Amino acid sequence: QVQLVESGGGLVQAGGSLRLSCAASGIIFSVNTMGWYRQAPGKQRELVATIITGGRTNYADSVKGRFTISRDNAKNTVYLQMSSLKPEDTAVYYCNIRRWPGGAGNDYWGQGTQVTVSS
């Protein structure tokens, strides 16, 4: 069975940095994209960043220039380097691995890791 294990969350002061990691414990075939989503209290889960297996990346406007997504395809691992953190970045962050062609039934999700940015 496949399980996504997240790490790196915690409490950090505004302006600080954190790196999130997410590794799949099992083999996932036909991986299309890997990514990170987040959900703040009272808000809907939203896209943070995604990376196509070939390397193309996409970022939410709110994090562009501050966050960097990367991956290790051989280990089915995705990372999120977060810099210049702001209190509004506070949320539960979820990693995602999507199998081609995507959609319901083709997504693997982590349990979420809490990121809290203090002001």
Side-chain angles (χ1 to χ4, degrees):
Q1 59 181 3
V2 174
Q3 183 177 11
L4 303 187
V5 180
E6 300 162 319
S7 62
L11 175 65
V12 65
Q13 292 182 329
S17 299
L18 286 173
R19 191 182 77 153
L20 305 183
S21 300
C22 177
S25 62
I27 298 174
I28 304 176
F29 295 100
S30 301
V31 172
N32 186 15
T33 62
M34 304 178 188
W36 290 92
Y37 295 72
R38 68 186 182 186
Q39 187 168 22
K43 298 183 64 178
Q44 196 170 356
R45 186 177 299 186
E46 64 179 357
L47 169 72
V48 177
T50 60
I51 182 167
I52 305 296
T53 302
R56 178 161 50 91
T57 58
N58 182 55
Y59 296 92
D61 288 341
S62 60
V63 307
K64 192 170 297 184
R66 300 188 297 118
F67 291 9
T68 301
I69 188 170
S70 60
R71 83 282 185 250
D72 184 332
N73 291 330
K75 298 192 296 184
N76 282 337
T77 301
V78 60
Y79 307 91
L80 185 68
Q81 177 66 49
M82 305 183 292
S83 300
S84 301
L85 283 163
K86 305 174 181 179
E88 49 263 46
D89 294 318
T90 296
V92 177
Y93 284 70
Y94 300 88
C95 67
N96 169 263
I97 297 179
R98 175 167 291 181
R99 295 163 53 210
W100 187 92
N106 288 309
D107 283 336
Y108 294 87
W109 293 92
Q111 292 299 117
T113 183
Q114 178 71 48
V115 172
T116 302
V117 184
S118 64
S119 59

